Amino acid sequence: MDIFIDHLSYSLGDNRVPLEDSAAAGRTITDVRSLQEAGFRRHHMCAENQTPYDLAAGAVRPIAAHLANAGAIIYATCLTCNGNIGKNEDYARTRDVKYLMDYPGSHLQSDFGLDKAFVVGLNQQACTSMLGSIRFAGTMLRSEPELETILCVSADRFPAGAVYEQSYNLISDGAAACTVSTQPGPFRLVAAHQITNGALAQAKDDETVGVFFSYMHKMISELLAKASMNAAALAYVVSQNTNVKAWQVLSRLAGINSEKIYYPTIADIGHVISADNIINLKHLLDSGKLKAGDRLMLTMAGFGLNWQGLILEKT
Amino acid sequence: MSILVTGANGYVGRSVAAGLLAAGGDDLILWLHAANDAEAAQKIAAMPKGGAVNYAWGDLRSPNPFSHVDRSRITKVIHTAAVTRFNVEEDLARKVNTEGTAKAVAFAQTCPKLEKFSFVGTVYASGLACGKIPEETVRDRPKFSNFYEQSKYEAEQAVTSAGIPWNIVRVATVIADDDTGHVTQYNAFHNTLKLVFYGLISLLPGNPSTPVYFVRGDFVARAILSLLDQTGVFHLCDERDKAITLGRMVDIAFEIFREDTDFKARRILKPLYSDKQSFDTLVEGLDSFAGDIVNQSIRSVAPFASQLFIDKEFLNERMRAHCPWYAPPDIEGLIRRTCGDLVRTRWGRT
């Protein structure tokens, strides 16, 4: 059964902030010059009253017309706190844990009238969770023939006062959405792969960067093997928005022409947690550069530590 | 008669001094690097004891670092003083290694009973030259991968052009003090393995097939003393077919690392071998994706990276001819024991 990905969408925090301003406000750790050399210029932060659910709704709204046959929603968050939109003060006041189980996926189903869809939450794959959602959606579609379309959503905002830098990346609040369906769409899912190393769950930034190359290389090699293809056959690698030099190094290690690495949004939006791949994929699709048969690799590294990737084929 | 050992508080100088003290015979003048009386006194107190020893001290960057040394009885000078970091700055390398050696040579020229000036150099004075590296002076100035190599090459030129009786002992990378694998002086080799062990670097520069030349500290000291009466250039290293390759060395290190419970649990992957361009790109980006410790550690290794792509064959017939006691070590066993020592002591922390 072929699985297709369609209706790419995303939303960002309302406040567009220059890197220098966030550095001055103490929201970064690394110095401005180094972050600029890494490719970052600006990022997006939620307005004070903008919630992660607002981000999710903002990503789904533009594609809502295509969700009539959605049989499931996979709602992913990087930060587990974004998987509950109940108010902590209500829990503190009542000691009723229902306020810790106010799931945004349920609200999304109701607010968009996706009455036929059941909801699945996914919150332990960090920045890789959108790729993980697509993988699970594909698996669900293959195992439950009555399902036709699954809405995948990921949405995260950092808590007020948080540092907007992780592992030397400038972070944006944002959300992404897409459909995974048995109905034809612009991309066919060819292969998916994930590696988790739980022993590095609380790795320090230098450890995270330290193992980035070897584990990404391993994940990429195994993913390509699953797709029965080699790196040279890739038209593009739609990567996460991370240090430009990291991908210059990794592309050579993996035997991928560095000109095929596609992450044009890094300067303007930074690393949008688990939304980078969808944002860059939409950008690539809209650019008209793709032709039928092109194979793309989407990759992401995240806490956990997790490394995930997808191979897609342009239809 | 007296033997002057410069850099006697350094790693090689200290071992040489200990060897001379153990052998007895000549008086020793041990010259230490120190900036003032207090530092000198502290270092003298830590030196090996026994025999007839006089101490002198100074700084090779000063105009007359040996002005207080009694030259009247000196027959031999063993010049070990040097900055041996691969990432030594150009100015410091020039002042200490090149000009400092020239000052030691100039001092030796004024010693009326001088019989030998023994210069302790590095096999990497051959720079980026590849193929067979004979035990003779480097005829054509090679290109260098760092200022350490360059300064030691230039120091050799100062020695050989001075018109004094000389020899040059070129030392390979010291991996351990002795055959037990115990390490007291950590260099780029040890620091690189440390980064790998702690999962802070997952790519290495170099070709796995490149031979890497390691020696023990006790071998170096013994060879320097055995060769003291000889003339010419000597390579203190094993032959190419007795040396180990970079790839095999990393494989052995990983075998030992994986015997450590913590390392095994963290599932650190064996590092990838990168080409020079990729490693240079990594180094360029260090400020933007590495903290201070990783940044400094990789920068300490980076100046040596070029050598790990070059297949050198250091010849050592002359050394072997004059050191009949020499036997090539079980290099794989030595690396195993050294890695075991590094893991057990957590690189000297415990």
mmCIF file of all heavy atoms in Angstrom, chain A residues 29-70:
data_model
loop_
_atom_site.group_PDB
_atom_site.id
_atom_site.type_symbol
_atom_site.label_atom_id
_atom_site.label_comp_id
_atom_site.label_asym_id
_atom_site.label_seq_id
_atom_site.Cartn_x
_atom_site.Cartn_y
_atom_site.Cartn_z
ATOM 1 N N ILE A 29 22.716 31.636 24.849
ATOM 2 C CA ILE A 29 23.906 31.313 25.648
ATOM 3 C C ILE A 29 25.165 31.615 24.828
ATOM 4 O O ILE A 29 26.080 32.274 25.301
ATOM 5 C CB ILE A 29 23.892 29.816 26.039
ATOM 6 C CG1 ILE A 29 22.619 29.494 26.821
ATOM 7 C CG2 ILE A 29 25.147 29.452 26.841
ATOM 8 C CD1 ILE A 29 22.349 28.010 26.978
ATOM 9 N N THR A 30 25.154 31.113 23.609
ATOM 10 C CA THR A 30 26.301 31.322 22.726
ATOM 11 C C THR A 30 26.319 32.773 22.255
ATOM 12 O O THR A 30 25.272 33.399 22.107
ATOM 13 C CB THR A 30 26.190 30.359 21.522
ATOM 14 O OG1 THR A 30 26.078 29.021 22.023
ATOM 15 C CG2 THR A 30 27.399 30.452 20.612
ATOM 16 N N ASP A 31 27.511 33.296 21.994
ATOM 17 C CA ASP A 31 27.603 34.688 21.575
ATOM 18 C C ASP A 31 26.980 34.887 20.190
ATOM 19 O O ASP A 31 26.856 33.953 19.395
ATOM 20 C CB ASP A 31 29.063 35.155 21.577
ATOM 21 C CG ASP A 31 29.904 34.368 20.589
ATOM 22 O OD1 ASP A 31 30.430 33.306 20.973
ATOM 23 O OD2 ASP A 31 30.005 34.799 19.433
ATOM 24 N N VAL A 32 26.584 36.127 19.941
ATOM 25 C CA VAL A 32 25.849 36.465 18.714
ATOM 26 C C VAL A 32 26.649 36.093 17.474
ATOM 27 O O VAL A 32 26.113 35.515 16.513
ATOM 28 C CB VAL A 32 25.493 37.967 18.705
ATOM 29 C CG1 VAL A 32 24.983 38.398 17.327
ATOM 30 C CG2 VAL A 32 24.445 38.269 19.768
ATOM 31 N N ARG A 33 27.923 36.421 17.464
ATOM 32 C CA ARG A 33 28.731 36.164 16.277
ATOM 33 C C ARG A 33 28.734 34.673 15.916
ATOM 34 O O ARG A 33 28.587 34.296 14.754
ATOM 35 C CB ARG A 33 30.168 36.652 16.504
ATOM 36 C CG ARG A 33 31.081 36.486 15.287
ATOM 37 C CD ARG A 33 32.523 36.841 15.643
ATOM 38 N NE ARG A 33 33.053 36.011 16.702
ATOM 39 C CZ ARG A 33 33.553 34.784 16.527
ATOM 40 N NH1 ARG A 33 33.573 34.253 15.332
ATOM 41 N NH2 ARG A 33 34.021 34.103 17.557
ATOM 42 N N SER A 34 28.879 33.830 16.939
ATOM 43 C CA SER A 34 28.919 32.390 16.678
ATOM 44 C C SER A 34 27.578 31.885 16.160
ATOM 45 O O SER A 34 27.525 31.040 15.265
ATOM 46 C CB SER A 34 29.310 31.632 17.951
ATOM 47 O OG SER A 34 30.616 31.972 18.340
ATOM 48 N N LEU A 35 26.494 32.412 16.724
ATOM 49 C CA LEU A 35 25.173 31.990 16.235
ATOM 50 C C LEU A 35 24.940 32.489 14.806
ATOM 51 O O LEU A 35 24.312 31.801 13.997
ATOM 52 C CB LEU A 35 24.075 32.497 17.171
ATOM 53 C CG LEU A 35 23.971 31.740 18.511
ATOM 54 C CD1 LEU A 35 23.048 32.461 19.484
ATOM 55 C CD2 LEU A 35 23.484 30.309 18.294
ATOM 56 N N GLN A 36 25.455 33.657 14.511
ATOM 57 C CA GLN A 36 25.348 34.152 13.127
ATOM 58 C C GLN A 36 26.148 33.245 12.187
ATOM 59 O O GLN A 36 25.692 32.913 11.094
ATOM 60 C CB GLN A 36 25.854 35.595 13.042
ATOM 61 C CG GLN A 36 24.902 36.608 13.665
ATOM 62 C CD GLN A 36 25.502 38.000 13.732
ATOM 63 O OE1 GLN A 36 26.724 38.164 13.740
ATOM 64 N NE2 GLN A 36 24.644 39.011 13.796
ATOM 65 N N GLU A 37 27.337 32.861 12.618
ATOM 66 C CA GLU A 37 28.147 31.968 11.784
ATOM 67 C C GLU A 37 27.462 30.617 11.588
ATOM 68 O O GLU A 37 27.664 29.949 10.576
ATOM 69 C CB GLU A 37 29.521 31.766 12.423
ATOM 70 C CG GLU A 37 30.422 32.984 12.306
ATOM 71 C CD GLU A 37 31.752 32.810 13.024
ATOM 72 O OE1 GLU A 37 31.999 31.719 13.587
ATOM 73 O OE2 GLU A 37 32.530 33.768 13.026
ATOM 74 N N ALA A 38 26.658 30.250 12.566
ATOM 75 C CA ALA A 38 25.908 28.990 12.446
ATOM 76 C C ALA A 38 24.734 29.132 11.491
ATOM 77 O O ALA A 38 24.114 28.131 11.132
ATOM 78 C CB ALA A 38 25.422 28.550 13.818
ATOM 79 N N GLY A 39 24.403 30.366 11.108
ATOM 80 C CA GLY A 39 23.344 30.584 10.119
ATOM 81 C C GLY A 39 22.107 31.280 10.651
ATOM 82 O O GLY A 39 21.161 31.531 9.900
ATOM 83 N N PHE A 40 22.081 31.596 11.937
ATOM 84 C CA PHE A 40 20.873 32.165 12.545
ATOM 85 C C PHE A 40 20.891 33.697 12.521
ATOM 86 O O PHE A 40 21.932 34.315 12.769
ATOM 87 C CB PHE A 40 20.748 31.684 13.991
ATOM 88 C CG PHE A 40 20.694 30.182 14.131
ATOM 89 C CD1 PHE A 40 21.773 29.476 14.648
ATOM 90 C CD2 PHE A 40 19.577 29.476 13.723
ATOM 91 C CE1 PHE A 40 21.733 28.098 14.768
ATOM 92 C CE2 PHE A 40 19.517 28.088 13.830
ATOM 93 C CZ PHE A 40 20.608 27.399 14.363
ATOM 94 N N ARG A 41 19.732 34.276 12.218
ATOM 95 C CA ARG A 41 19.603 35.736 12.231
ATOM 96 C C ARG A 41 18.418 36.200 13.077
ATOM 97 O O ARG A 41 18.499 37.201 13.771
ATOM 98 C CB ARG A 41 19.426 36.282 10.799
ATOM 99 C CG ARG A 41 20.608 36.033 9.882
ATOM 100 C CD ARG A 41 21.820 36.872 10.270
ATOM 101 N NE ARG A 41 22.913 36.681 9.340
ATOM 102 C CZ ARG A 41 23.780 35.664 9.391
ATOM 103 N NH1 ARG A 41 23.692 34.750 10.357
ATOM 104 N NH2 ARG A 41 24.743 35.546 8.498
ATOM 105 N N ARG A 42 17.293 35.515 12.932
ATOM 106 C CA ARG A 42 16.056 35.896 13.619
ATOM 107 C C ARG A 42 15.367 34.632 14.118
ATOM 108 O O ARG A 42 15.643 33.536 13.640
ATOM 109 C CB ARG A 42 15.110 36.632 12.653
ATOM 110 C CG ARG A 42 15.567 38.025 12.246
ATOM 111 C CD ARG A 42 14.829 38.513 11.017
ATOM 112 N NE ARG A 42 15.276 37.815 9.823
ATOM 113 C CZ ARG A 42 16.378 38.131 9.140
ATOM 114 N NH1 ARG A 42 17.144 39.129 9.533
ATOM 115 N NH2 ARG A 42 16.732 37.437 8.069
ATOM 116 N N HIS A 43 14.427 34.830 15.034
ATOM 117 C CA HIS A 43 13.586 33.704 15.429
ATOM 118 C C HIS A 43 12.214 34.221 15.843
ATOM 119 O O HIS A 43 11.994 35.436 15.885
ATOM 120 C CB HIS A 43 14.244 32.864 16.530
ATOM 121 C CG HIS A 43 14.371 33.535 17.869
ATOM 122 N ND1 HIS A 43 14.116 32.902 19.059
ATOM 123 C CD2 HIS A 43 14.721 34.801 18.214
ATOM 124 C CE1 HIS A 43 14.329 33.724 20.068
ATOM 125 N NE2 HIS A 43 14.704 34.883 19.586
ATOM 126 N N HIS A 44 11.318 33.297 16.064
ATOM 127 C CA HIS A 44 9.936 33.652 16.399
ATOM 128 C C HIS A 44 9.599 33.153 17.796
ATOM 129 O O HIS A 44 9.861 32.007 18.127
ATOM 130 C CB HIS A 44 8.968 33.036 15.385
ATOM 131 C CG HIS A 44 8.982 33.729 14.062
ATOM 132 N ND1 HIS A 44 7.952 34.548 13.632
ATOM 133 C CD2 HIS A 44 9.903 33.753 13.083
ATOM 134 C CE1 HIS A 44 8.244 35.024 12.429
ATOM 135 N NE2 HIS A 44 9.423 34.556 12.073
ATOM 136 N N MET A 45 8.976 34.059 18.548
ATOM 137 C CA MET A 45 8.521 33.690 19.887
ATOM 138 C C MET A 45 7.026 33.973 19.982
ATOM 139 O O MET A 45 6.518 34.921 19.363
ATOM 140 C CB MET A 45 9.261 34.511 20.950
ATOM 141 C CG MET A 45 10.766 34.279 20.970
ATOM 142 S SD MET A 45 11.596 35.461 22.051
ATOM 143 C CE MET A 45 10.797 35.103 23.615
ATOM 144 N N CYS A 46 6.362 33.164 20.752
ATOM 145 C CA CYS A 46 4.936 33.407 20.948
ATOM 146 C C CYS A 46 4.710 34.732 21.667
ATOM 147 O O CYS A 46 5.513 35.125 22.533
ATOM 148 C CB CYS A 46 4.314 32.284 21.783
ATOM 149 S SG CYS A 46 3.981 30.793 20.834
ATOM 150 N N ALA A 47 3.609 35.389 21.293
ATOM 151 C CA ALA A 47 3.173 36.546 22.074
ATOM 152 C C ALA A 47 2.751 36.042 23.454
ATOM 153 O O ALA A 47 2.539 34.839 23.651
ATOM 154 C CB ALA A 47 2.017 37.228 21.364
ATOM 155 N N GLU A 48 2.646 36.943 24.379
ATOM 156 C CA GLU A 48 2.431 36.555 25.779
ATOM 157 C C GLU A 48 1.256 35.591 25.948
ATOM 158 O O GLU A 48 1.336 34.615 26.694
ATOM 159 C CB GLU A 48 2.235 37.810 26.631
ATOM 160 C CG GLU A 48 2.158 37.510 28.117
ATOM 161 C CD GLU A 48 2.079 38.778 28.940
ATOM 162 O OE1 GLU A 48 2.271 39.877 28.363
ATOM 163 O OE2 GLU A 48 1.799 38.677 30.144
ATOM 164 N N ASN A 49 0.164 35.868 25.249
ATOM 165 C CA ASN A 49 -1.038 35.049 25.432
ATOM 166 C C ASN A 49 -1.208 33.979 24.356
ATOM 167 O O ASN A 49 -2.251 33.348 24.271
ATOM 168 C CB ASN A 49 -2.281 35.946 25.464
ATOM 169 C CG ASN A 49 -2.258 36.857 26.684
ATOM 170 O OD1 ASN A 49 -1.859 36.432 27.772
ATOM 171 N ND2 ASN A 49 -2.661 38.112 26.498
ATOM 172 N N GLN A 50 -0.197 33.807 23.535
ATOM 173 C CA GLN A 50 -0.284 32.820 22.454
ATOM 174 C C GLN A 50 0.142 31.447 22.989
ATOM 175 O O GLN A 50 1.258 31.297 23.487
ATOM 176 C CB GLN A 50 0.620 33.237 21.296
ATOM 177 C CG GLN A 50 0.436 32.438 20.024
ATOM 178 C CD GLN A 50 1.342 32.958 18.902
ATOM 179 O OE1 GLN A 50 2.278 33.729 19.149
ATOM 180 N NE2 GLN A 50 1.067 32.533 17.682
ATOM 181 N N THR A 51 -0.712 30.488 22.909
ATOM 182 C CA THR A 51 -0.446 29.177 23.497
ATOM 183 C C THR A 51 0.068 28.210 22.429
ATOM 184 O O THR A 51 -0.091 28.458 21.228
ATOM 185 C CB THR A 51 -1.723 28.581 24.105
ATOM 186 O OG1 THR A 51 -2.626 28.245 23.027
ATOM 187 C CG2 THR A 51 -2.394 29.555 25.062
ATOM 188 N N PRO A 52 0.630 27.102 22.869
ATOM 189 C CA PRO A 52 1.028 26.092 21.880
ATOM 190 C C PRO A 52 -0.179 25.575 21.099
ATOM 191 O O PRO A 52 -0.053 25.210 19.927
ATOM 192 C CB PRO A 52 1.686 24.996 22.728
ATOM 193 C CG PRO A 52 1.335 25.292 24.132
ATOM 194 C CD PRO A 52 1.060 26.743 24.229
ATOM 195 N N TYR A 53 -1.317 25.546 21.751
ATOM 196 C CA TYR A 53 -2.510 25.117 21.017
ATOM 197 C C TYR A 53 -2.864 26.127 19.929
ATOM 198 O O TYR A 53 -3.298 25.753 18.831
ATOM 199 C CB TYR A 53 -3.693 24.922 21.969
ATOM 200 C CG TYR A 53 -4.936 24.501 21.204
ATOM 201 C CD1 TYR A 53 -5.042 23.210 20.705
ATOM 202 C CD2 TYR A 53 -5.961 25.405 20.947
ATOM 203 C CE1 TYR A 53 -6.148 22.824 19.964
ATOM 204 C CE2 TYR A 53 -7.069 25.036 20.212
ATOM 205 C CZ TYR A 53 -7.161 23.731 19.718
ATOM 206 O OH TYR A 53 -8.260 23.359 18.985
ATOM 207 N N ASP A 54 -2.669 27.408 20.225
ATOM 208 C CA ASP A 54 -2.896 28.426 19.186
ATOM 209 C C ASP A 54 -1.998 28.160 17.978
ATOM 210 O O ASP A 54 -2.414 28.337 16.824
ATOM 211 C CB ASP A 54 -2.606 29.834 19.725
ATOM 212 C CG ASP A 54 -3.580 30.261 20.822
ATOM 213 O OD1 ASP A 54 -4.715 29.753 20.817
ATOM 214 O OD2 ASP A 54 -3.165 31.073 21.674
ATOM 215 N N LEU A 55 -0.762 27.768 18.265
ATOM 216 C CA LEU A 55 0.166 27.449 17.173
ATOM 217 C C LEU A 55 -0.361 26.263 16.365
ATOM 218 O O LEU A 55 -0.348 26.277 15.127
ATOM 219 C CB LEU A 55 1.551 27.121 17.729
ATOM 220 C CG LEU A 55 2.328 28.266 18.385
ATOM 221 C CD1 LEU A 55 3.563 27.717 19.103
ATOM 222 C CD2 LEU A 55 2.741 29.311 17.362
ATOM 223 N N ALA A 56 -0.820 25.234 17.069
ATOM 224 C CA ALA A 56 -1.342 24.043 16.379
ATOM 225 C C ALA A 56 -2.544 24.412 15.515
ATOM 226 O O ALA A 56 -2.625 24.022 14.334
ATOM 227 C CB ALA A 56 -1.719 22.978 17.403
ATOM 228 N N ALA A 57 -3.449 25.154 16.103
ATOM 229 C CA ALA A 57 -4.640 25.561 15.344
ATOM 230 C C ALA A 57 -4.239 26.413 14.149
ATOM 231 O O ALA A 57 -4.822 26.299 13.055
ATOM 232 C CB ALA A 57 -5.596 26.324 16.262
ATOM 233 N N GLY A 58 -3.229 27.246 14.367
ATOM 234 C CA GLY A 58 -2.759 28.096 13.267
ATOM 235 C C GLY A 58 -2.163 27.292 12.127
ATOM 236 O O GLY A 58 -2.245 27.684 10.954
ATOM 237 N N ALA A 59 -1.559 26.172 12.442
ATOM 238 C CA ALA A 59 -0.993 25.309 11.394
ATOM 239 C C ALA A 59 -2.084 24.506 10.689
ATOM 240 O O ALA A 59 -1.996 24.243 9.487
ATOM 241 C CB ALA A 59 0.051 24.372 12.003
ATOM 242 N N VAL A 60 -3.118 24.120 11.420
ATOM 243 C CA VAL A 60 -4.169 23.266 10.838
ATOM 244 C C VAL A 60 -5.170 24.093 10.021
ATOM 245 O O VAL A 60 -5.684 23.619 8.992
ATOM 246 C CB VAL A 60 -4.891 22.487 11.967
ATOM 247 C CG1 VAL A 60 -6.121 21.749 11.422
ATOM 248 C CG2 VAL A 60 -3.934 21.505 12.624
ATOM 249 N N ARG A 61 -5.410 25.306 10.430
ATOM 250 C CA ARG A 61 -6.461 26.124 9.795
ATOM 251 C C ARG A 61 -6.324 26.192 8.267
ATOM 252 O O ARG A 61 -7.322 25.984 7.553
ATOM 253 C CB ARG A 61 -6.457 27.526 10.417
ATOM 254 C CG ARG A 61 -7.756 28.307 10.214
ATOM 255 C CD ARG A 61 -7.827 29.525 11.134
ATOM 256 N NE ARG A 61 -7.950 29.151 12.542
ATOM 257 C CZ ARG A 61 -7.067 29.443 13.487
ATOM 258 N NH1 ARG A 61 -5.962 30.117 13.185
ATOM 259 N NH2 ARG A 61 -7.265 29.057 14.731
ATOM 260 N N PRO A 62 -5.135 26.441 7.732
ATOM 261 C CA PRO A 62 -5.042 26.561 6.264
ATOM 262 C C PRO A 62 -5.361 25.266 5.520
ATOM 263 O O PRO A 62 -5.655 25.298 4.327
ATOM 264 C CB PRO A 62 -3.569 26.960 6.043
ATOM 265 C CG PRO A 62 -3.118 27.530 7.343
ATOM 266 C CD PRO A 62 -3.860 26.765 8.385
ATOM 267 N N ILE A 63 -5.300 24.120 6.202
ATOM 268 C CA ILE A 63 -5.549 22.846 5.507
ATOM 269 C C ILE A 63 -6.834 22.185 5.988
ATOM 270 O O ILE A 63 -7.121 21.036 5.638
ATOM 271 C CB ILE A 63 -4.354 21.868 5.684
ATOM 272 C CG1 ILE A 63 -4.152 21.515 7.163
ATOM 273 C CG2 ILE A 63 -3.074 22.464 5.109
ATOM 274 C CD1 ILE A 63 -3.115 20.395 7.379
ATOM 275 N N ALA A 64 -7.592 22.912 6.771
ATOM 276 C CA ALA A 64 -8.793 22.324 7.392
ATOM 277 C C ALA A 64 -9.762 21.777 6.356
ATOM 278 O O ALA A 64 -10.451 20.765 6.593
ATOM 279 C CB ALA A 64 -9.475 23.367 8.280
ATOM 280 N N ALA A 65 -9.832 22.412 5.208
ATOM 281 C CA ALA A 65 -10.784 21.981 4.171
ATOM 282 C C ALA A 65 -10.460 20.602 3.621
ATOM 283 O O ALA A 65 -11.309 19.980 2.964
ATOM 284 C CB ALA A 65 -10.799 23.010 3.037
ATOM 285 N N HIS A 66 -9.246 20.130 3.902
ATOM 286 C CA HIS A 66 -8.836 18.832 3.346
ATOM 287 C C HIS A 66 -8.881 17.708 4.381
ATOM 288 O O HIS A 66 -8.337 16.628 4.144
ATOM 289 C CB HIS A 66 -7.394 18.943 2.807
ATOM 290 C CG HIS A 66 -7.210 20.050 1.824
ATOM 291 N ND1 HIS A 66 -7.658 19.970 0.528
ATOM 292 C CD2 HIS A 66 -6.657 21.283 1.965
ATOM 293 C CE1 HIS A 66 -7.374 21.106 -0.105
ATOM 294 N NE2 HIS A 66 -6.767 21.918 0.746
ATOM 295 N N LEU A 67 -9.554 17.973 5.487
ATOM 296 C CA LEU A 67 -9.496 17.010 6.597
ATOM 297 C C LEU A 67 -10.801 16.258 6.806
ATOM 298 O O LEU A 67 -10.979 15.598 7.848
ATOM 299 C CB LEU A 67 -9.099 17.743 7.893
ATOM 300 C CG LEU A 67 -7.754 18.481 7.844
ATOM 301 C CD1 LEU A 67 -7.502 19.241 9.150
ATOM 302 C CD2 LEU A 67 -6.619 17.504 7.561
ATOM 303 N N ALA A 68 -11.693 16.351 5.832
ATOM 304 C CA ALA A 68 -13.010 15.733 6.015
ATOM 305 C C ALA A 68 -12.902 14.236 6.268
ATOM 306 O O ALA A 68 -13.706 13.665 7.017
ATOM 307 C CB ALA A 68 -13.868 16.009 4.782
ATOM 308 N N ASN A 69 -11.914 13.595 5.667
ATOM 309 C CA ASN A 69 -11.784 12.141 5.826
ATOM 310 C C ASN A 69 -10.740 11.758 6.859
ATOM 311 O O ASN A 69 -10.286 10.599 6.873
ATOM 312 C CB ASN A 69 -11.432 11.507 4.484
ATOM 313 C CG ASN A 69 -12.585 11.611 3.502
ATOM 314 O OD1 ASN A 69 -13.758 11.530 3.888
ATOM 315 N ND2 ASN A 69 -12.264 11.831 2.242
ATOM 316 N N ALA A 70 -10.337 12.709 7.694
ATOM 317 C CA ALA A 70 -9.337 12.382 8.711
ATOM 318 C C ALA A 70 -9.922 11.383 9.703
ATOM 319 O O ALA A 70 -10.925 11.670 10.365
ATOM 320 C CB ALA A 70 -8.885 13.650 9.426
#
